Amino acid sequence: MSEIRVRFAPSPTGPLHIGGVRTALYNFLFARQSKGRFILRIEDTDQKRFVPGAEEYILESLSWAGLNIDEGPVQGGPYGPYRQSERRDIYKKYSEQLLKDGHAYMAFDTPEELEAMRERMRKEGNPSPQYNAITRQYMKNSLTLPADEVEKRLAAGEPYVIRIKMPRNEEVKVKDLIRGWVSFQSNQLDDKVLVKADGLPTYHLANVVDDHLMKISHVIRGEEWLPSTPLHVLLYRYLGWEESMPEFAHLPLILRPDGKGKLSKRDGDRLGIPVYPITWKDPASGEESMGFREKGFFPEAFVNMLAFLGWNPGSDQEIFSLDELIKAFSIERIGKAGARFDIEKARWFNQQFLKQKDDAELASMLRPYLEKEGVKAEDAYLVQVCRLMKERAAFIPDIYSEGKYFFAPVEAYDEKIVAKKWNDSVKPFFTALRQRLTDINPFEKEEIEKAVKSEMELKGMKFGQVLPVFRVMLCGTVAGPPIFDVAELLGKEEVLMRMDRFMERYA
RNA sequence: GGCCCCUUCGUCUAGUGGUUAGGACGCAAGGUUUUCAUCCUUGAAACAGGAGUUCGAUUCUCCUAGGGGCUGCCA
C-alpha cells in the first residue's frame, strides 16, 4: 500500500474557524494513525482576498492545538513549495495541456460582459445562469471566435481566462468515503474557470494539480466541496491521473448553536461564544474576536471536543488525549449529518481536563491571568488555592474569578445572608470566636474547627446559624471551598482582619 | 429555482429487520457535602411524516416535508 499523505489546505483570507480546525484535526489524526504525512498547503491564489497575518494565525492555531505539520511552507518538504502563489509556473504546464487536448478553452469575456449575460438570463427566468455548453456559444471564446481573431486578441495581450470544456451528457461518479457513491450529470455542471486573467489558477485546478504532485492519498475536506468534486474528477481524468486519484471524504459541516445555518463569526459575537481557536484581531477593522485559547480552553479539551463534533469512537469513552484520538480515529465512524456546536458540552470537556491536572500545574497556568489582573501571590499559596478551587472551576480563569477573596479583601458581602443570619444572637458568638482564634498556633483547620465547635456548644448554636456568616465574613459569599480550609489558607492575621472589618461594618 | 448532501431525546451521538431504542451534555429530583462545586442515585426527554417491501420496520425502498451546501476570474 502506498504511503498515506493528507493535506490541510486553508486559504489565508482570515482566521481559521473551528470547522477548519476540525478538518485539520481529522486530517492530522488520519495521517498519524496510518504513519502517514500531514501536509499544510496554503491556498493563496486569490491575491485580492489576502489578509495579512492570516497565514501566521493558521500556523499558530494548529501549533496550539498540537497538530504538528510534517510538510509545509515553514518546514519545507520534498514536494514544495507549499504556497500556491509560489507554484505559478507549475500550473501553467497543465493548463496548456488541457488546452492542447481540447478539454479547456480560452474565454475573453470581460467581467461586465459576463454580468450582462447573467443579468439577461436572470430576466428570462434562470436564477443561476451558467457558462456552459449552451451559453458558451454566444460568448467570446476560442470555441466561437475564428482562429485568427483569437490569435489577434492573444497578440494584443488581451486578458483571458481558461475554462474547462464540460462534456455533455456524461455521468460523473464520485466515491466518497463517508457518503458512498454520489453521481452528477455533467450537463448540470458549468465551464468553470481554471485559470484567471491574472494567470493564477482557481482552486479547482491548483487543488487537483497540487494534490497529484504532492502525492496526496486522501482528500479530507468540508462538505461544501462535494458539489465541485465531479469537476475535480474530470480534471484528474483529463490530466491522465485518474488511476492515482486520491480518495475523497467530505466532512459534515459544523452548524450554529441555535437557529439555522453554519457557524459564523457573527454567532460568536451574538452569543458570546468563541468560534476561533485563538483570538483574532481583524487588521482592517481592528475588531477582536476572542479565541478558545483566550477563553481558557486547554488545547487537549478543545481538540477532544472538536473530534466529537461529527465523529465518535463507538464506545462510551468520551475523554481522549490526542494520542488516544490518533489510535481510535477512523473515517468510517465520521457521521453524515451536520453537527451543532454546543458551548455547554465544550465547557464540560474542559472541566474534565482541568480536574485531571495537578495543583502545581494549574497554579502555573493561572499565573499569567493573575499577572494580567495585577495580582501577586506566592507560588505555594497559589498551589493551595488551586487545590481548593479546582473542583469548582471549568476554566483556569474561574479559579481566580470565583476565588478573588483569596487574593484581595472582600469587596461585597452577600447582603441576603447578612440580613438573614447576622443578628444579635450571633454577634457575641463571633466576638468570642475572634478571641479564641487569636490563641490558635499554628493556625490549622482542625484547630479552627475545634474552636468554632466548642464556642458553638458553649453558646448553644447550630452550624446553620454560624457558618454562613463566618463564610461571608471571610469570602463575601456563601459559595466556596470548605470554610476551615479557606481560613487556614488565608492565615490567622487575614482572618482576624476580615472578621474585624465585617463586624465593624455591620456593628 | 436547479443540482447535491443530510434527518434517532433540546444538543452530541450509539444501535438493530423483532431491543424496556443505549450513552454523554444540559435539565429536574434525591443523597453526600455545615455552603457552593464535585461525586452518587433516579427521572423527564428521540427514531420527521406518508406509502411500500416484510410475519414484523427506527433499521430496506420510494415520496413528501424540513435542514444544509453549492450555484464567482472566492476558497
Side-chain angles (χ1 to χ4, degrees):
Chain A
M1 199 177 100
S2 60
E3 192 192 13
I4 299 293
R5 294 175 55 82
V6 297
R7 85 296 195 281
F8 176 55
S11 62
T13 53
L16 221 47
H17 97 345
I18 57 173
V21 182
R22 192 198 53 176
T23 301
L25 172 64
Y26 285 8
N27 273 284
F28 171 86
L29 294 175
F30 183 65
R32 286 289 170 274
Q33 83 166 186
S34 44
K35 303 276 179 279
R37 307 275 284 171
F38 175 57
I39 295 143
L40 176 70
R41 187 172 69 222
I42 300 295
E43 309 229 328
D44 57 348
T45 54
D46 185 2
Q47 71 280 67
K48 292 190 294 294
R49 293 210 309 160
F50 174 80
V51 173
E55 184 179 326
E56 291 72 15
Y57 178 93
I58 291 165
L59 257 14
E60 196 184 347
S61 296
L62 296 180
S63 151
W64 175 67
L67 311 183
N68 299 128
I69 298 155
D70 299 318
E71 295 172 27
V74 176
Q75 38 287 301
Y79 303 100
Y82 293 88
R83 220 176 262 120
Q84 289 185 331
S85 58
E86 296 165 15
R87 299 172 64 81
R88 225 189 154 96
D89 298 338
I90 298 174
Y91 308 116
K92 198 167 189 310
K93 179 180 156 196
Y94 299 102
S95 59
E96 278 170 4
Q97 184 187 329
L98 289 169
L99 238 25
K100 183 170 68 67
D101 295 343
H103 293 303
Y105 61 92
M106 293 173 276
F108 298 93
D109 318 282
T110 65
E112 293 72 30
E113 288 169 332
L114 284 172
E115 190 38 51
M117 179 269 276
R118 293 196 177 105
E119 189 50 40
R120 196 170 55 241
M121 291 189 66
R122 272 194 286 267
K123 275 192 185 130
E124 287 164 12
N126 185 341
S128 55
Q130 293 187 318
Y131 201 115
N132 59 19
I134 309 290
T135 47
R136 71 177 168 234
Q137 295 176 266
Y138 309 108
M139 305 300 287
K140 292 176 188 153
N141 54 58
S142 59
L143 261 24
T144 58
L145 264 18
D148 59 332
E149 167 83 16
V150 171
E151 283 306 319
K152 226 167 69 191
R153 285 175 184 256
L154 254 25
E158 203 175 300
Y160 65 93
V161 300
I162 297 175
R163 289 180 180 271
I164 187 170
K165 188 180 170 195
M166 195 49 74
R168 299 219 65 185
N169 301 317
E170 261 186 46
E171 186 185 29
V172 184
K173 286 182 170 175
V174 174
K175 186 190 164 204
D176 184 273
L177 262 16
I178 294 169
R179 285 152 227 283
W181 287 97
V182 182
S183 91
F184 299 81
Q185 291 300 324
S186 67
N187 292 3
Q188 298 288 341
L189 274 20
D190 59 350
D191 291 356
K192 279 272 178 301
V193 170
L194 264 18
V195 179
K196 297 177 271 187
D198 63 7
L200 280 168
T202 57
Y203 173 86
H204 307 293
L205 209 224
N207 159 69
V208 165
V209 168
D210 287 345
D211 283 347
H212 175 260
L213 261 24
M214 293 180 179
K215 298 194 159 41
I216 299 302
S217 63
H218 298 257
V219 170
I220 304 170
R221 71 211 324 184
E223 195 184 0
E224 69 267 27
W225 293 107
L226 190 54
S228 46
T229 307
L231 166 66
H232 303 161
V233 169
L234 250 17
L235 251 14
Y236 280 104
R237 185 175 301 163
Y238 295 156
L239 259 3
W241 302 332
E242 198 169 7
E243 291 306 305
S244 61
M245 186 169 70
E247 301 255 33
F248 293 101
H250 289 95
L251 270 20
L253 267 16
I254 295 180
L255 276 14
R256 55 206 289 183
D258 66 338
K260 300 163 193 278
K262 61 176 180 179
L263 190 66
S264 71
K265 176 183 174 301
R266 293 197 65 85
D267 297 307
D269 300 342
R270 190 170 49 83
L271 301 164
I273 58 170
V275 294
Y276 299 140
I278 61 183
T279 289
W280 167 256
K281 188 172 180 188
D282 191 285
S285 66
E287 206 185 327
E288 213 174 66
S289 305
M290 213 188 247
F292 280 84
R293 180 177 69 181
E294 288 73 14
K295 283 275 182 189
F297 276 87
F298 300 118
E300 313 94 283
F302 175 66
V303 158
N304 194 159
M305 176 274 290
L306 230 38
F308 270 71
L309 241 37
W311 170 87
N312 76 84
S315 71
D316 279 351
Q317 184 182 351
E318 291 206 273
I319 301 303
F320 282 79
S321 67
L322 194 54
D323 283 340
E324 288 174 315
L325 284 174
I326 289 169
K327 287 198 187 74
F329 184 76
S330 74
I331 291 179
E332 294 71 53
R333 295 202 67 88
I334 295 174
K336 292 177 169 70
R340 228 170 275 270
F341 169 66
D342 179 9
I343 189 70
E344 287 300 330
K345 186 95 186 215
R347 180 190 152 86
W348 175 81
F349 272 111
N350 207 68
Q351 190 180 125
Q352 299 309 303
F353 281 87
L354 190 143
K355 273 163 56 182
Q356 290 176 5
K357 307 230 180 257
D358 67 53
D359 305 332
E361 197 178 356
L362 291 175
S364 68
M365 294 173 111
L366 178 58
R367 179 66 73 187
Y369 290 97
L370 292 182
E371 274 164 11
K372 224 173 76 186
E373 299 284 334
V375 175
K376 300 220 185 313
E378 305 250 331
D379 280 339
Y381 182 77
L382 211 49
V383 172
Q384 291 310 309
V385 172
C386 289
R387 177 175 64 83
L388 294 181
M389 290 302 291
K390 81 178 190 189
E391 294 280 272
R392 274 149 269 265
F395 300 100
I396 294 283
D398 293 350
I399 297 173
Y400 172 67
S401 63
E402 300 296 311
K404 285 192 176 169
Y405 46 83
F406 283 115
F407 305 100
V410 176
E411 279 170 25
Y413 297 101
D414 186 329
E415 294 295 343
K416 262 169 74 183
I417 299 294
V418 174
K420 221 164 97 183
K421 307 273 185 182
W422 181 246
N423 51 47
D424 289 339
S425 61
V426 295
K427 283 177 185 177
F429 169 89
F430 281 99
T431 311
L433 178 64
R434 191 207 180 284
Q435 193 50 50
R436 277 179 186 261
L437 295 181
T438 317
D439 299 329
I440 295 178
N441 273 311
F443 198 67
E444 284 170 355
K445 62 180 178 184
E446 291 81 5
E447 295 305 313
I448 303 168
E449 184 168 358
K450 244 186 260 172
V452 170
K453 278 185 176 162
S454 69
E455 189 59 36
M456 272 169 48
E457 269 169 42
L458 204 67
K459 296 269 197 305
M461 308 199 74
K462 296 201 171 80
F463 277 128
Q465 290 176 276
V466 160
L467 258 15
V469 181
F470 192 33
R471 188 176 279 284
V472 168
M473 281 179 179
L474 302 188
C475 309
T477 162
V478 284
I483 190 60
F484 302 119
D485 289 73
V486 174
E488 177 184 321
L489 184 54
L490 250 19
K492 191 202 285 189
E493 197 184 341
E494 186 66 29
V495 166
L496 296 179
M497 256 167 56
R498 290 188 185 195
M499 290 179 80
D500 290 341
R501 186 152 170 265
F502 180 92
M503 289 191 279
E504 222 167 90
R505 172 151 173 192
Y506 294 100

